[in-house]
């Protein structure tokens, strides 16, 4: 069978060359690029500035792979969750989170996840594949359109906190961010983008060397080795000391504050010694600790700590000069909150 190529895998330069090689004019490449990436069309027929014969020629050679929103759910609090169908039939989820002043897109980087955090619903789906750069870009684009349609304003922020571990799909995530931030794409500032990682030391250093401009968040949850390994087993492979060293390197190179995501669970990490270990771990650089509310995932092992215990964390961290925020999850009624993305009820 003659497999058609995905035209979206071609850069602008490659498109220009394609047309030149066909004996056509190179600027047709720019036109196609614009239709694909700025206007976001899903068919060659829709590229109306091209002659009909050119559109038919493209149709014969290429496909335009694109994502499709299968199901869109709206939460009582305004949060929107999309079940996104990929060209090969697999599903991922992405979420739009509105507040008074912003709209944030929470996007996925992998189908499933290769890490095995015991408190996260996504970990129960094995990692099926990495998303392509344009599949990541498309999630952002769709949410930008939803933001305009439902809230009358464009998307303001992006967090890579959906399904998957973004650093395990390093190249495609960076390519997608390039497109999101370039004038040819959505032209968003990288300062409005946060990549969240469970902490792969080698790749954190690579990001620092690559001089990336987006923000970094680390899902820490414990700064005590035995505790972290018990809830995030890959901690055995990427030890805390190496993570800390990589983060130190990141800070030296970028001078960017590091955000830590942290859930406090009853009986797991709710003691004074847990807070003290956290303070010791992050005090080498300006840090912010984001205390995230636990979202139950049909599992009796984990329970959100009582508000008083959370206050101890808050107080001790603040005394140590660390910024603290408490994040209440949104979209819980539609399983759209942190750690709840698991294609619930939609796996075929
Ligand atoms: N793999 C990346 C991206 C996922 S981000 C990372 O680990 O950072 C999703 C965030 O939600 C992470 O901070 C994760 O630790 C947190 N999380 C996972 N399950 C959760 C749950 N049940 N309740 C609250 N937060 C959870």
């Amino acid at each position: 069978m003659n497999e058609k190529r995905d035209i979206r895998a071609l850069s602008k330069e490659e498109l220009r060359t394609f047309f030149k090689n066909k004996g056509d004019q190179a600027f047709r490449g720019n036109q196609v690029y614009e239709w694909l990436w700025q206007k976001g069309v899903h068919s060659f027929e829709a590229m109306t500035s091209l002659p009909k014969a050119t559109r038919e020629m493209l149709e014969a050679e290429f496909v335009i792979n694109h994502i499709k929103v299968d199901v869109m759910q709206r939460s009582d609090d305004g949060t929107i969750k999309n079940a996104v169908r990929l060209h090969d039939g697999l599903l991922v989820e992405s979420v739009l989170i509105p507040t008074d002043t912003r709209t944030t897109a929470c996007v996925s980087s992998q189908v499933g996840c290769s890490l095995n955090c015991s408190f996260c619903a996504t970990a129960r789906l094995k990692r099926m594949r990495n998303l392509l750069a344009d599949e990541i870009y498309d999630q952002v684009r769709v949410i930008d359109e939803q933001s305009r349609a439902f809230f009358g304003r464009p998307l303001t922020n992006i967090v890579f906190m959906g399904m998957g571990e973004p650093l395990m799909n390093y190249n495609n995530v960076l390519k997608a961010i390039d497109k999101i931030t370039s004038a040819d794409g959505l032209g968003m500032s990288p300062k409005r983008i946060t990549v969240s990682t469970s902490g792969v030391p080698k790749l954190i250093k690579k990001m620092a060397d690559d001089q990336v401009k987006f923000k970094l968040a680390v899902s820490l949850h414990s700064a005590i080795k035995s505790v972290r390994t018990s809830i995030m087993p890959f901690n055995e492979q990427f030890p805390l000391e190496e993570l800390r060293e990589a983060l130190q390197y990141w800070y030296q190179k970028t001078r960017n504050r590091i955000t830590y995501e942290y859930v406090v669970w009853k009986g797991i990490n709710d003691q004074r010694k847990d807070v003290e270990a956290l303070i010791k771990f992050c005090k080498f650089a300006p840090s912010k600790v984001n205390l995230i509310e636990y979202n139950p995932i049909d599992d009796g092992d984990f329970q959100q700590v009582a508000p008083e215990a959370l206050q101890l964390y808050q107080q001790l961290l603040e005394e140590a000069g660390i910024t603290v925020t408490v994040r209440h999850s949104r979209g819980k009624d539609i399983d759209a909150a942190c750690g709840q993305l698991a294609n619930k009820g939609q796996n075929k």
Side-chain angles (χ1 to χ4, degrees), residues 3-16 18-19 28-37 41-44 47 50 54-55 57-66 132 134 179:
E3 278 254 330
K4 293 190 202 174
R5 286 190 293 162
D6 180 6
I7 195 163
R8 305 216 313 166
L10 271 57
S11 66
K12 196 193 276 179
E13 221 26 67
E14 286 166 336
L15 284 170
R16 287 172 59 87
F18 170 81
F19 279 101
R28 293 274 179 230
N30 299 41
Q31 286 180 309
V32 170
Y33 192 89
E34 200 172 292
W35 280 113
L36 290 173
W37 297 107
V41 298
H42 291 164
S43 75
F44 294 108
M47 301 183 177
L50 303 178
T54 308
R55 282 182 266 159
M57 178 273 291
L58 290 173
E59 181 79 53
E61 295 227 13
F62 294 106
V63 288
I64 306 176
N65 283 338
H66 58 86
L132 303 170
D134 57 67
K179 195 147 263 167

Side-chain angles (χ1 to χ4, degrees), residues 34-141:
E34 200 172 292
W35 280 113
L36 290 173
W37 297 107
Q38 270 167 328
K39 305 197 177 110
V41 298
H42 291 164
S43 75
F44 294 108
E45 211 187 322
M47 301 183 177
T48 47
S49 59
L50 303 178
K52 190 154 191 293
T54 308
R55 282 182 266 159
E56 281 166 5
M57 178 273 291
L58 290 173
E59 181 79 53
E61 295 227 13
F62 294 106
V63 288
I64 306 176
N65 283 338
H66 58 86
I67 65 168
K68 186 175 152 287
V69 176
D70 240 24
V71 184
M72 189 189 93
Q73 286 171 279
R74 290 195 78 180
S75 157
D76 295 339
D77 66 19
T79 303
I80 295 176
K81 181 169 86 168
N82 297 303
V84 168
R85 183 78 64 188
L86 308 172
H87 70 90
D88 56 2
L90 291 172
L91 274 177
V92 290
E93 292 176 332
S94 51
V95 183
L96 178 162
I97 308 149
T99 68
D100 288 345
T101 51
R102 330 169 147 190
T103 326
T104 302
C106 175
V107 298
S108 294
S109 55
Q110 299 181 310
V111 187
C113 189
S114 52
L115 302 180
N116 44 12
C117 306
S118 48
F119 47 83
C120 179
T122 306
R124 295 180 186 172
L125 308 168
K126 64 175 198 314
R127 188 198 77 93
M128 284 171 264
R129 70 169 171 87
N130 284 342
L131 292 189
L132 303 170
D134 57 67
E135 291 170 331
I136 297 171
Y137 178 86
D138 277 354
Q139 294 174 65
V140 174
R141 202 190 156 86

Side-chain angles (χ1 to χ4, degrees), residues 252-305:
Q252 276 161 10
K253 288 246 165 167
T254 67
R255 296 284 143 185
N256 269 340
R257 179 170 81 168
I258 300 161
T259 297
Y260 296 94
E261 294 157 274
Y262 203 102
V263 180
V264 188
W265 290 283
K266 200 166 152 188
I268 293 178
N269 56 356
D270 56 355
Q271 301 298 307
R272 184 175 275 265
K273 69 173 185 343
D274 295 291
V275 198
E276 284 165 356
L278 170 60
I279 292 170
K280 198 161 157 240
F281 185 91
C282 59
K283 72 169 182 224
F284 67 89
S287 310
K288 178 170 128 183
V289 172
N290 206 335
L291 295 171
I292 312 177
E293 185 186 0
Y294 174 60
N295 303 304
I297 53 161
D298 312 330
D299 183 333
D301 288 353
F302 293 95
Q303 266 178 291
Q304 166 76 24
V305 84

Side-chain angles (χ1 to χ4, degrees), residues 119-120 161-162 164-165 196-198 219 221 261 293-295 338-339:
F119 47 83
C120 179
M161 296 186 186
E165 167 52 48
S196 174
T197 177
S198 289
S219 301
H221 303 309
E261 294 157 274
E293 185 186 0
Y294 174 60
N295 303 304
C338 303

